[in-house]
Amino acid sequence: MRLSRCTGLSAALALTGLAVTACGGGAEAEERPAKSGKASSSPSASASPSPTAVTEKPAPPAELLTNAARVVRPEIAPENGEKVGVGQPVALVFKKQKIAQELRAGIEGRLKISNSAKVPGAWHWNETKGDTYLHFRPEKFWPAGTRVTLDAKLAGVKLAPGAAADRDRSLSFTVGDSMVNTVDLKAHTLTVVRNGKTLRTIPISGGDESKSFQTRQGIKTILAKEGRVVMDSLSIGIPRNHPDGFYGSYDFSMRETVSGEYVHAAPDNAESFGKENVSHGCIGMSTENAKWLYGMSLKGDVVQVNGSSKPKPMDHFGNGYGDWNLGWEEWLAGSALGVRAG
């Protein structure tokens, strides 16, 4: 099928603090990955290694601001009590608010992450289109079964001149089974590996690179399980009666990017599965396979896309969770305090 964004935005996706953009692979990336003088190595599909001793850098006191002219309530994901996949970061989004560089170490010191696996991790700051993102992840994916807790002592903490956070927040979530789905655009397959065991290799069709509708390459996660989604080419400026136009409902849809890339059932493209890439960026498959995968999946499960002949990299921030495309040294470079013990 040809893909578009859905006409509505789920509550789960809204919690990521990300605004809807255009559709699928046809949309321009909101943020191109930053160039670095050092080679970037993405994390492997394995879980985080056994914990090692970590000496934490002491955090300076956070600055407090009373009677702030602007009070900001950061959006936090995942939700308290959720069960998520191994690729789910802890994500805070300060909408339309920049955070002063000199205040960031103090803010990180107010954010205590603990996890049952005791794997270390780090925070990373990013500014995209006026929003400030602060994400926490380990070096590798979370170990399956880990319980993670965030204790955010943010009440009255200064974010910038005249701006402060609104209140303290806390949440806990559990990491489910390790689900890593690897898409090979050249072979037109999606291979499902659960807890290290290959369960199924699914024939798929990805984005049509000849028309610049590439499926974004790199590591993504499932943002939301949205079920039946109405997809409309008008959302990316293509009339429905155009040769590349489309309109219809598609089942077992799981969103990978805010701009509209999904993994979903696409029965109208059955002749292309395992043979060619014909979508506007989605990963389409048979209804039977899509139903099976949907039932196995959690928000935060990993989708790693390889094999593009015209690679279009996944956005690091602002279009979903592209966190894992940053090598560990790059990730640490975006932290004010560095590695935290967990």
Side-chain angles (χ1 to χ4, degrees), residues 76-78 87-92 113 122-123 134-138 142 148-150 171 173 321 323 331:
I76 302 179
Q88 175 69 48
V90 180
L92 282 73
I113 291 279
W123 294 97
L134 179 56
H135 289 192
F136 183 96
R137 48 156 271 213
W142 293 106
V148 184
T149 299
L150 167 66
L171 64 86
F173 63 91
Y321 296 132
D323 307 45
W331 186 263

Side-chain angles (χ1 to χ4, degrees), residues 245-260:
F246 53 89
Y247 180 85
S249 297
Y250 295 89
D251 292 329
F252 307 111
S253 299
M254 299 190 292
R255 186 187 285 263
E256 302 171 279
T257 71
V258 178
S259 58

Side-chain angles (χ1 to χ4, degrees), residues 31-36 39-44 123-126 135 137-140 218-219 314-317 321-334:
E31 179 213 4
R32 294 299 181 190
K35 294 182 178 179
S36 172
S40 171
S41 57
S42 297
S44 70
W123 294 97
H124 184 97
W125 295 85
N126 175 271
H135 289 192
R137 48 156 271 213
E139 181 177 358
K140 307 292 184 182
I219 302 172
M314 173 59 183
D315 317 68
H316 290 163
F317 292 88
Y321 296 132
D323 307 45
W324 302 99
N325 296 294
L326 289 171
W328 188 234
E329 293 305 316
E330 289 180 280
W331 186 263
L332 293 178

